[in-house]
Amino acid sequence: MKEFELINRYFKGRGIIRRDVELGIGDDCALVSVPTGHQLAVTTDTLVSGVHFFEDIPPRALGHRVIAVNLSDLAAMGAEPTWISLGLTLPTADMEWLEAFTEGMHEIAEYYNVQVIGGDTTQGPLTITVCAKGIVPNGKALKRSSARVGDWIYVTGSLGDAGLAIEARKQELMLDPLHYKAALDKFHYPAPRVAAGQVLRGLATSAIDISDGLLADLQHILKASLVGAKIHVDKVPMSNALRASLDEAARLRLALSFGDDYELLFTVNDNNKNAVETRLKQYGVEPVCIGQITAHNGEVQLVNKGQPYQLSGQGFEHFS
Ligand SMILES: [Mg+2]
């Protein structure tokens, strides 16, 4: 199949049409309008087979996931997702695979009212790059650099499930099939916290999405804000699947260090603590306070049930 045939068949005329898109797929560039009083938020993420996912990932899940991880970055900035373009490198033009992949992609794009406005396809090892764009009112984006000493540290959802699914497969752990399925679904179909991110505008002092692991991503906030943190590891939210599958040390390792869950990590000052909890709950999100920002620049102090805690083991090699 030629490139333009492939684009016509799987991308053109599929998905939603937004009124702020003057030209979508089909010209040299797309043309879009950013509403007055807003800034454009732009992010890019690449997923490589064998590096970011197993080669046998269901194509529909891959289509969902590659969009989800990009929308998660927009969510972490408090931006409203609007447009997506993608670069698709495929070993072969397998029609069945492409149909399922683009279905997964268009499904999540439609759900979040995002239009696919352009792309490029080439032949080579399976690699997908998405560039997602969003809009955010002038000056209202949530940055990493404004956490202050005394701010409360929160996370959304539960952590460690994607890690459970991947570790279970790599180490051939025997999990309850329902728990394994729940964890694998979280890995395959992450739900970016798009609404929560926008709710946090004007309330949170900083935010980031958890892609590399809670502690690694927390470090980005600490470095950018020149502060430290105290984390109560016993407060870190975990799913029933994770609690039922592993002992405390193993599940804390996944929840704190694995990543791939695409929840939000954010900080809130004392004045906005109640407002954040109430407003997020209105959107069906239960934020959990796991600690507080300290003055110890770059330092993270872990506490488990009141006692100092140290993480055991090495980092994770996700898909090798
Ligand atoms: Mg991110």
Side-chain angles (χ1 to χ4, degrees):
M1 202 185 301
K2 293 259 176 3
E3 185 186 359
F4 70 88
E5 285 177 48
L6 195 152
I7 289 169
N8 274 337
R9 182 170 183 142
Y10 295 105
F11 296 100
K12 219 179 163 190
R14 295 265 308 259
I16 61 140
I17 306 285
R18 291 178 58 98
R19 289 208 305 203
D20 51 16
V21 178
E22 187 189 326
L23 266 184
I25 296 171
D27 210 312
D28 295 303
C29 290
L31 291 174
V32 299
S33 309
V34 177
T36 314
H38 288 69
Q39 288 172 301
L40 183 64
V42 184
T43 180
T44 300
D45 235 317
T46 294
L47 299 189
V48 180
S49 179
V51 179
H52 300 100
F53 55 89
F54 293 117
E55 279 168 27
D56 60 358
I57 187 173
R60 186 168 157 259
L62 184 59
H64 175 103
R65 188 172 166 78
V66 71
I67 303 296
V69 302
N70 277 278
L71 298 190
S72 178
D73 277 325
L74 290 176
M77 296 298 287
E80 175 192 339
T82 48
W83 315 294
I84 283 169
S85 46
L86 84 157
L88 193 54
T89 305
L90 299 169
T92 53
D94 175 339
M95 309 241 291
E96 213 176 301
W97 189 96
L98 268 165
E99 187 54 51
F101 171 80
T102 49
E103 191 181 284
M105 209 188 82
H106 290 305
E107 249 168 28
I108 177 172
E110 271 177 53
Y111 182 83
Y112 289 104
N113 196 29
V114 171
Q115 183 173 341
V116 181
I117 55 168
D120 183 36
T121 57
T122 40
Q123 193 173 20
L126 180 57
T127 303
I128 304 139
T129 298
V130 165
C131 177
K133 294 95 177 161
I135 51 175
V136 60
N138 280 341
K140 297 285 186 207
L142 299 167
K143 298 179 191 162
R144 301 175 178 183
S145 53
S146 24
R148 296 291 173 261
V149 176
D151 284 357
W152 300 98
I153 302 169
Y154 278 86
V155 291
T156 59
S158 58
L159 301 180
D161 289 315
L164 177 63
I166 292 155
E167 288 297 288
R169 172 169 163 166
K170 287 185 66 175
Q171 299 183 34
E172 298 173 359
L173 305 177
M174 291 300 292
L175 303 190
D176 177 317
L178 284 178
H179 291 150
Y180 181 63
K181 189 186 178 302
L184 196 61
D185 278 352
K186 282 276 294 268
F187 175 70
H188 282 161
Y189 297 99
R193 296 292 188 177
V194 168
Q198 290 169 71
V199 166
L200 290 174
R201 287 197 304 239
L203 290 174
T205 50
S206 71
I208 191 168
D209 65 320
I210 304 179
S211 52
D212 300 333
L214 170 61
L215 295 181
D217 289 312
L218 174 63
Q219 276 297 343
H220 294 308
I221 288 184
L222 302 186
K223 282 211 178 91
S225 299
L226 306 175
V227 289
K230 182 177 185 177
I231 299 293
H232 297 272
V233 299
D234 49 310
K235 298 271 166 41
V236 172
M238 294 178 200
S239 67
N240 291 333
L242 184 55
R243 285 184 189 283
S245 302
L246 298 174
D247 66 30
E248 188 190 44
R251 60 186 187 240
L252 275 174
R253 234 180 118 225
L254 290 180
L256 295 172
S257 311
F258 196 92
D260 276 317
D261 292 306
Y262 296 96
E263 295 294 344
L264 293 182
L265 168 67
F266 59 94
T267 56
V268 182
N269 67 29
D270 212 39
N271 292 336
N272 287 327
K273 197 171 191 281
N274 288 334
V276 157
E277 294 189 4
T278 313
R279 299 250 1 245
L280 282 180
K281 277 174 197 161
Q282 288 166 350
Y283 283 83
V285 179
E286 198 84 33
V288 177
C289 183
I290 58 165
Q292 205 167 12
I293 295 292
T294 66
H296 305 286
N297 202 343
E299 214 175 279
V300 179
Q301 195 187 344
L302 300 182
V303 179
N304 189 13
K305 295 163 206 131
Q307 300 298 317
Y309 185 78
Q310 232 180 340
L311 261 193
S312 57
Q314 308 273 307
F316 294 96
E317 297 254 342
H318 288 199
F319 300 93
S320 56

